[in-house]
Amino acid sequence: MAELRPSLNDQKDKIWDIPTVTKVKAFLWRASSEALPVVDLLKIRGMKGDSRCQICGEEGESINHVLFTCTVARQIWALSRFPSPMGGFDAFSVYSNLSYLFNMGKSRILPQQIKRLFPWILWRIWKNRNFFPFEARAFHPLETQQKIEDDAKKLSMAQIVDNERE
Ligand SMILES: [Zn+2]
């Protein structure tokens, strides 16, 4: 496994340079370490029970499914101003999808206010998934989109204030 993904550690190192808050960095770290508690991983640890995605009903739930290929994730990505890869996100590799995002986050052609969105998009998708069984009827893609924009805006305001203090 390690030989197939020689730059996994490089990818994780990049997380600390992403301009976002610690809780989101920690979450990105867990996503790229395949350490988020999704059904597929819980099953490996012996958990029994429903192995379908609770959102779309697909059999099996991987980190990649939750963050990129599930119906809700697709809607959130489609509504966001962040550009998705040509041909869409990879159907299986969370590694290649995160690499794409981390590289785009450093792109010189994307405006700052677009680049800073992706950590918040992932964060909201994950939050959403965790609350889904309770708020199934309350999921509004547009509302989620607004929350992402607000999170990103609040953070950049906080950073501006920090810079002015220095
Ligand atoms: Zn799903």
Side-chain angles (χ1 to χ4, degrees):
M1 209 63 160
E3 295 108 75
L4 290 172
R5 297 186 294 181
S7 53
L8 187 60
N9 282 325
D10 296 352
Q11 186 186 56
K12 287 193 198 165
D13 287 343
K14 285 184 197 155
I15 293 169
W16 308 113
D17 299 331
I18 295 170
T20 190
V21 297
T22 311
K23 69 173 180 187
V24 175
K25 285 185 190 183
F27 156 73
L28 292 174
W29 177 272
R30 291 173 76 201
S32 53
S33 310
E34 298 191 40
L36 293 174
V38 291
V39 171
D40 284 2
L41 293 181
L42 296 174
K43 279 199 98 172
I44 293 169
R45 292 183 204 153
M47 190 200 74
K48 293 197 176 69
D50 198 342
S51 59
R52 288 170 305 166
C53 169
Q54 295 302 302
I55 296 177
C56 69
E58 192 172 295
E59 189 57 41
E61 186 205 46
S62 63
I63 292 173
N64 195 57
H65 176 78
V66 174
L67 298 180
F68 298 104
T69 64
C70 186
T71 47
V72 164
R74 283 177 195 275
Q75 283 185 66
I76 296 176
W77 282 112
L79 281 169
S80 82
R81 294 187 291 146
F82 199 90
S84 292
M86 289 227 278
F89 284 107
D90 191 280
F92 303 103
S93 171
V94 69
Y95 174 74
S96 91
N97 290 329
L98 289 175
S99 284
Y100 165 80
L101 294 175
F102 295 169
N103 290 332
M104 289 301 272
K106 294 194 159 192
S107 152
R108 289 178 188 189
I109 33 174
L110 271 188
Q112 199 59 40
Q113 69 264 37
I114 306 282
K115 285 198 279 194
R116 71 186 183 205
L117 289 174
F118 84 84
W120 296 106
I121 298 172
L122 293 169
W123 171 255
R124 279 288 162 196
I125 291 173
W126 179 246
K127 290 264 127 186
N128 219 59
R129 176 264 186 203
N130 291 338
F131 289 119
F132 196 80
F134 314 108
E135 295 181 2
R137 263 174 258 137
F139 173 67
H140 298 295
L142 284 171
E143 211 170 273
T144 303
Q145 206 46 53
Q146 196 51 51
K147 283 182 189 162
I148 290 165
E149 293 280 346
D150 290 349
D151 286 340
K153 207 177 287 168
K154 259 183 252 159
L155 175 73
S156 74
M157 305 262 276
Q159 283 169 336
I160 291 165
V161 173
D162 274 359
N163 289 340
E164 282 171 354
R165 279 201 194 118
E166 276 164 14

